[in-house]
Structure formats: C-alpha cells, structure tokens
Amino acid sequence: MTNRTLHEKYIQRCIDLARLGLGNTAPNPMVGSVIVYNNKIIGEGYHRKIGEPHAEVNAINSVKDKRRLKKSTLYVNLEPCAHYGKTPPCANLIVEQGISNVIVGSVDTAAHVSGRGIKILEDAGCNVTIGILENECRDLNKRFFTFHEKRRPYIILKWAQTKDGFIDIKRGAKHTVEPAWITNEYAKTLVHKWRAEEQAILIGTNTALVDNPLLTTRNWEGKNSVRIVFDRTFKLPSNLNIFNQDSETIVIADYAAKNLNTNVYNKNIGIIFVNYQKGFFNQFFDILVNRNIQSMIVEGGEKVLNSFIENNFWDEARIFYGNKEFKDGIKAPKIEIKELINESLGNSKLTLVKN
C-alpha cells in the first residue's frame, strides 16, 4: 500500500468520524481526527458539538501513552484552527504535543483561518501534507465552505410532486384545508431528519396560510431549526403554528409595511425589514450571514421555490415523486438536472439534484 493510499484510508476515517457531528457543530465545520503510530490508530476523535473540544483535542486526549505522540502522524479532514474562540487553537496544541507529521484533507478557507493553522505547524518544523481526499473533505463541509466563500447559506430546495407534475391542488388562502399529501410517512420522517441537520427552514406567506405547518422535527430526534417566513405586508395571523414556542421564527417584511399595525408575536419571533423592490436576495443573505446561519431548507410553494431557481441561488434540490395524480393544480418547479441520485421510499421516489 502506497503512502498516498494509506493517507486516504485514514483521512476517510476522519470524514466518517466528522459526519457523526452533523446537525450539532454549526456554525463550526464537521471535523474528525485520527492519530497513527506504527501504522496503527492509537487515538481518534471528532468535534461533537459547538462549544465543545475540537476533533484534534479529542483525538490527542484519547491516546493512552502520550509518549508515542512525538513519533505519530495526526490526520484531520480540515486544517487545524489557529484562533482563540470557545476553545484554544488546535494548531498550537499539536505543536505543544510534539507531533511532527500532520496530514490535512482540505484547507480551511474561512477568513480567520485560511492557511494560518498550517503556517503555525510548518513554522514549528512539522511535516505537513495537504489535499488528501480534498474533494470528499470539501463535500463533507459543503455548508461551511459555501457560507464562507459565497457569503450565503448552503441552500436546499425541497418539494413533492405528483406523477403528472403538480405540487399542490388549487386552494384559496382564505380557506385553510389539510395539505394534499403526495408522498408517504417514510418521506415525512426523512424530511424531519433533514430539518434536524440544517439551521433554518424557509416558507412563504401562502404556504404559512394554507398549510399552517409546524416546521419542527417532531418525527425525528433532534433540535428544531430556525423558522423563516416571507410575510411582506403582515398578512399572517399570530395564531399560526410557525408562531408558537417550539422554535425561533424570523419574519421577513417589507420596509413599506413598517408603519402597519403588526400582530402581537411571542418572544421567539423576530421581525426584520428589507426592501422587496431592490436587491432583495443580497439583503436576505446578509441577514442570514450575520446570524451565522450556514444552511437552509426552502420548503415554500411555487413562487418561493421558483424565485430561488430563477436567481440560481440553490445548491441541492430534493424532489419527492408520489404515485398520485391531481390532473390540475400548482405546477412543480423545473430545474436542469446536472447530477442526480434516485432512491425508493415505499411507493414514492426521491431524486437528489446538485446544482
């Protein structure tokens, strides 16, 4: 087995460990680390939760005989941090422990790191190898990299459509009725799992009115995401489910409506005003970036989904296909399928598309 093949083997283990933190580390990246001595793993760890020790710290702490560290190689899927945050810099710890070989999957492109961790290691005489399984490492932290490199969250579009291409029947906003279910309970549970993995969920005014969704993870163990709703002129009554105490909700309203009498919301509700007429998405993304929201599922209706598609502000689309036919209704969005994965969910199908 070549050195590179060995490196790939251990970096893959770092990726597998890092993924265990999905949904719990944001806005930090998911990171795993292993320590190898004489071609044997003697320590490993991952970043479990925001505010808790980083992967390298957990890996080093798991090594029983610390004397072996000076002759070991540390593997990590992302460049060790170089700044003081909730925890001290991992790069400094690696140097202090005398670890002389470090293999890094991908460089951390966040402005406060961006090569500084690698420089600390190299300046201390460490032999650093960079770029092992780099594409896989970047894909693991696609939310983190999108946020720091594009200054917006990683955006996932989600909808369900019938065999004949509709996402809903035609319903009047004044007459709230039960949603017309297209898929099944397997799909519903999967959607709740996704919600637990992302930081925010977005819907529009019409979806809030006619579906009155909770937007929670009640069918899956995990935290509820921040709920975001576009409510340009305060049409939404305060007794809707998205305004309950289950999670924080952000209302995005128009500056033109600032003098209107708004509903009385509970303490979990925040109202933010933007100009809907000019540069809307730039303003909206600035709000999310300032709140450190790195990922968002768009679960809105036709108008909201198509606005993201038309402006090319999306990274993934997750499309459920049911076996029902509506004959008439609200047409499903159309996107160019560049890359897809198909999965069966009982009598429904899921297609994953990457932009």
Side-chain angles (χ1 to χ4, degrees):
M1 189 177 285
T2 65
N3 281 341
R4 184 167 187 89
T5 305
L6 273 174
H7 291 340
E8 290 177 351
K9 170 187 172 182
Y10 293 126
I11 287 293
Q12 184 59 56
R13 176 60 181 164
C14 293
I15 292 172
D16 294 340
L17 287 168
R19 195 173 281 113
L20 296 174
L22 179 60
N24 295 314
T25 65
N28 287 352
M30 292 177 282
V31 183
S33 179
V34 299
I35 298 172
V36 177
Y37 175 80
N38 284 346
N39 292 323
K40 181 181 178 181
I41 294 177
I42 61 170
E44 61 182 27
Y46 67 97
H47 184 34
R48 295 174 179 270
K49 189 177 181 180
I50 177 70
E52 294 187 2
H54 290 183
E56 300 94 323
V57 176
N58 288 331
I60 289 170
N61 287 343
S62 74
V63 175
K64 293 180 179 179
D65 185 354
K66 298 293 192 292
R67 293 173 299 179
R68 293 182 173 182
L69 288 173
K70 292 183 178 180
K71 294 183 179 180
S72 297
T73 299
L74 182 143
Y75 291 82
V76 63
N77 60 286
L78 187 70
E79 174 184 358
C81 65
H83 62 287
Y84 285 88
K86 294 182 183 295
T87 59
C90 291
N92 291 6
L93 176 64
I94 294 168
V95 171
E96 289 166 8
Q97 294 296 325
I99 300 172
S100 57
N101 292 297
V102 179
I103 313 298
V104 177
S106 60
V107 172
D108 184 340
T109 55
H112 58 281
V113 182
S114 195
R116 291 181 178 87
I118 292 169
K119 186 175 188 303
I120 289 172
L121 296 174
E122 291 179 334
D123 287 350
C126 289
N127 178 31
V128 182
T129 301
I130 307 166
I132 304 298
L133 295 184
E134 182 175 11
N135 291 338
E136 291 84 347
C137 290
R138 284 185 59 86
D139 185 67
L140 169 73
N141 280 307
K142 55 195 175 185
R143 299 162 181 82
F144 179 81
F145 286 117
T146 297
F147 181 84
H148 287 284
E149 294 173 7
K150 296 185 178 181
R151 301 297 293 167
R152 65 164 175 80
Y154 188 86
I155 297 170
I156 300 166
L157 309 181
K158 190 277 292 181
W159 71 85
Q161 66 181 70
T162 60
K163 288 172 66 175
D164 51 352
F166 296 100
I167 61 172
D168 201 355
I169 58 175
K170 290 183 178 178
R171 297 182 283 164
K174 293 181 180 179
H175 305 287
T176 303
V177 297
E178 287 297 312
W181 281 102
I182 294 172
T183 54
N184 53 40
E185 287 297 318
Y186 298 111
K188 184 177 181 180
T189 299
L190 182 57
V191 169
H192 287 206
K193 176 179 181 292
W194 290 343
R195 289 174 180 172
E197 295 170 351
E198 312 307 334
Q199 289 182 269
I201 308 166
L202 169 70
I203 60 172
T205 304
N206 196 52
T207 298
L209 282 172
V210 300
D211 287 350
N212 193 21
L214 286 160
L215 301 183
T216 60
T217 60
R218 57 199 178 279
N219 283 19
W220 191 265
E221 184 178 349
K223 61 177 177 55
N224 289 325
S225 303
V226 175
R227 300 173 294 197
I228 304 173
V229 59
F230 292 155
D231 186 14
R232 185 170 180 173
T233 57
F234 296 113
K235 288 183 180 179
L236 301 179
S238 59
N239 63 348
L240 291 179
N241 287 330
I242 58 168
F243 298 134
N244 65 21
Q245 299 280 347
D246 290 347
S247 184
E248 178 187 2
T249 298
I250 301 172
V251 178
I252 307 296
D254 196 327
Y255 275 120
K258 204 163 188 177
N259 295 324
L260 295 178
N261 291 323
T262 63
N263 295 305
V264 179
Y265 297 126
N266 65 51
K267 64 181 180 180
N268 288 331
I269 310 304
I271 301 173
I272 299 178
F273 293 96
V274 300
N275 185 345
Y276 270 73
Q277 299 293 327
K278 185 178 180 181
F280 171 81
F281 277 106
N282 288 337
Q283 298 169 75
F284 179 51
F285 293 151
D286 282 347
I287 292 166
L288 301 184
V289 168
N290 288 336
R291 286 175 166 261
N292 262 333
I293 294 176
Q294 294 187 357
S295 63
M296 178 176 68
I297 301 176
V298 179
E299 294 194 25
E302 174 194 29
K303 185 176 180 181
V304 171
L305 286 166
N306 280 326
S307 68
F308 280 86
I309 293 170
E310 289 164 5
N311 288 281
N312 200 32
F313 289 133
W314 64 281
D315 301 286
E316 284 184 36
R318 301 175 181 179
I319 309 164
F320 291 102
Y321 294 88
N323 62 355
K324 296 180 180 178
E325 291 187 3
F326 285 171
K327 307 298 183 184
D328 190 20
I330 309 299
K331 281 283 189 182
K334 293 187 181 299
I335 57 173
E336 180 184 353
I337 296 179
K338 299 177 182 178
E339 180 181 340
L340 64 87
I341 300 171
N342 290 316
E343 298 179 10
S344 294
L345 293 168
N347 60 357
S348 300
K349 184 183 79 171
L350 170 63
T351 294
L352 306 178
V353 184
K354 290 189 176 182
N355 190 2

